[in-house]
Amino acid sequence: MKNVRQVTKSVDPREHATWTLSTLYARLRQWAYDVYDTREHPALGQTPEEAFNTGLLLSGLRPNRLIEYDDDFIRFTLPSTPKGTAKVQPNLGVKIHSLYYWARGDAFRDAEVEKTQIRVRYDPYDMGHAFACVKGRWIECISEHYARFQGRSEREIQLATAELRQRQRRHGQQFVLTAAKLADFLSSVEAEEVLLEQRQRDDEARAVFSLMEGTPLQIPAVFLSHSSPIEATSNDPSANSTSAEVDRINLEEDQDDIYEDY
């Protein structure tokens, strides 16, 4: 893709991609831990795994430096607004990317909090909820029209917004985007056609996250009625398990030879 104008359809890598993101992640993990980590490295004179364990014996485990991959870590690494804050509007909440979010409970009804700038973070893979820091405490917030925005990714919202603007532009009408218009469009058949490919990509990303975190794959209820590369069944617990996702990928021992040159 260095010289894009010279790329034809027959050699365009986007036309030949066959692996899903979760399959690619599983293969990379296999290579890193089962192949590269267990073979002698010419520069080390031992395997990388042995060198790592030797370093731990010499320097110690240092548990005080360990950062747990918990809810706090995930929340602190979520994206925020360009300013990092949002203003608390009375009876509306905080506005993040054209959507208003209201904190659970009465945190936003405090007179000291209203009309002040507070730190906010949102989940790019679920725009139905966000987080706001109120008086030093992080509180979950729920979006307006939550039932329609739950499980929708930030990219889906961007594509839907662009599609709505394009349609209004073709009709020569002035367009004012509102959460209600966006929610109605997301529930329409037209949105199904526009967003299906992006939804499949988001499902693949969620599968990778479940593998990384070692947690069962959770698919939002809004997607269960649609066909997707990843299906969840209530009768088969293994369908949502990490081990089932890994076992589905047939990793053959004799294929380790493909890594000899790396």
Side-chain angles (χ1 to χ4, degrees):
M1 301 300 293
K2 183 177 181 180
N3 299 316
V4 180
R5 293 182 180 272
Q6 299 178 10
V7 176
T8 63
K9 186 176 181 179
S10 61
V11 297
D12 190 340
R14 292 172 296 187
E15 300 291 334
H16 301 280
T18 56
W19 285 20
T20 64
L21 188 60
S22 57
T23 305
L24 176 61
Y25 173 80
R27 285 294 189 180
L28 287 174
R29 188 171 64 174
Q30 180 202 26
W31 173 81
Y33 297 113
D34 297 338
V35 180
Y36 175 81
D37 217 22
T38 59
R39 294 184 178 179
E40 182 173 328
H41 195 285
L44 299 174
Q46 57 184 335
T47 67
E49 183 180 15
E50 292 172 343
F52 177 77
N53 292 330
T54 300
L56 290 179
L57 290 175
L58 295 176
S59 60
L61 294 177
R62 303 182 183 179
N64 61 306
R65 301 292 298 273
L66 178 65
I67 299 177
E68 295 288 346
Y69 190 83
D70 52 15
D71 290 340
D72 288 337
F73 176 83
I74 295 174
R75 182 167 56 246
F76 291 145
T77 54
L78 290 176
S80 183
T81 60
K83 296 190 302 181
T85 62
K87 187 176 182 179
V88 180
Q89 300 288 353
N91 300 320
L92 293 175
V94 293
K95 193 173 186 179
I96 303 175
H97 296 318
S98 302
L99 299 179
Y100 277 105
Y101 293 82
W102 186 260
R104 292 184 181 274
D106 297 327
F108 283 172
R109 297 193 183 279
D110 190 333
E112 297 180 1
V113 176
E114 290 184 346
K115 298 183 179 181
T116 62
Q117 294 283 340
I118 61 175
R119 289 183 294 162
V120 294
R121 297 187 183 277
Y122 66 92
D123 187 345
Y125 286 97
D126 186 358
M127 296 300 289
H129 74 144
F131 298 92
C133 186
V134 181
K135 294 185 175 181
R137 185 166 61 97
W138 286 96
I139 301 175
E140 184 181 15
C141 303
I142 302 301
S143 73
E144 52 183 334
H145 305 286
Y146 173 75
R148 299 181 184 180
F149 288 113
Q150 179 191 16
R152 301 284 185 177
S153 69
E154 179 185 18
R155 183 57 180 160
E156 274 191 90
I157 302 298
Q158 292 174 347
L159 292 175
T161 301
E163 179 66 18
L164 280 176
R165 294 187 186 280
Q166 182 65 24
R167 293 187 178 194
Q168 295 298 325
R169 194 177 297 115
R170 287 199 296 264
H171 291 83
Q173 300 176 356
Q174 185 176 4
F175 178 69
V176 178
L177 179 65
T178 64
K181 291 180 181 179
L182 189 56
D184 290 340
F185 177 72
L186 289 173
S187 303
S188 66
V189 177
E190 293 85 353
E192 184 73 17
E193 297 176 355
V194 173
L195 303 177
L196 180 58
E197 184 177 353
Q198 181 60 41
R199 186 174 303 164
Q200 291 174 342
R201 290 181 180 143
D202 293 338
D203 286 345
E204 290 179 4
R206 291 187 182 97
V208 173
F209 291 152
S210 69
L211 288 173
M212 294 172 60
E213 300 168 2
T215 57
L217 176 61
Q218 300 294 332
I219 299 179
V222 69
F223 299 140
L224 294 183
S225 60
H226 306 291
S227 60
S228 65
I230 305 167
E231 297 181 357
T233 58
S234 57
N235 295 328
D236 184 7
S238 64
N240 288 337
S241 65
T242 304
S243 59
E245 177 66 19
V246 176
D247 292 339
R248 187 172 57 82
I249 304 170
N250 296 323
L251 302 178
E252 301 174 356
E253 295 181 359
D254 58 355
Q255 292 184 355
D256 287 352
D257 295 337
I258 66 176
Y259 303 112
E260 288 289 351
D261 298 331
Y262 295 91

